[in-house]
Amino acid sequence: MAARSNKPDETAPAATVRPQEYSAGTGWEVGQTAPEDAFRALDAAGTGGPTGPVVHTHPGGYARQIVTKGALITAGVRRELDEAEQDGGA
């Protein structure tokens, strides 16, 4: 006769359920997806400083691309957009 064990059957540990992660949607806030490209012209005087408003198509000449359509809005992107607004450009 086989001896019986009082230990419960050893089974695999319960599955860990990860919380569902949702994107923050589309928009211009940190964590969201950029709805379109954002550019800012650079100073033509040669200093290379950003000038003028944020535009959504390349303004021609020298320009900085702040973010591309579909990219994540980071704190740095939001800061550049805010600086453009403060400069009266956005």
Side-chain angles (χ1 to χ4, degrees):
M1 187 187 269
R4 293 187 109 172
S5 172
N6 289 340
K7 288 183 4 180
D9 291 336
E10 290 187 30
T11 59
T16 302
V17 178
R18 287 184 23 189
Q20 182 66 40
E21 295 178 15
Y22 296 97
S23 68
T26 301
W28 296 106
E29 296 304 318
V30 173
Q32 293 184 323
T33 301
E36 52 191 329
D37 293 343
F39 295 90
R40 193 157 183 217
L42 296 178
D43 183 359
T47 64
T51 185
V54 171
V55 294
H56 303 291
T57 57
H58 195 285
Y62 296 105
R64 176 186 309 170
Q65 186 164 19
I66 299 170
V67 68
T68 58
K69 180 178 181 176
L72 182 69
I73 301 293
T74 63
V77 168
R78 187 66 245 173
R79 186 172 41 253
E80 283 204 49
L81 295 171
D82 289 342
E83 285 174 8
E85 283 182 25
Q86 289 174 2
D87 291 346

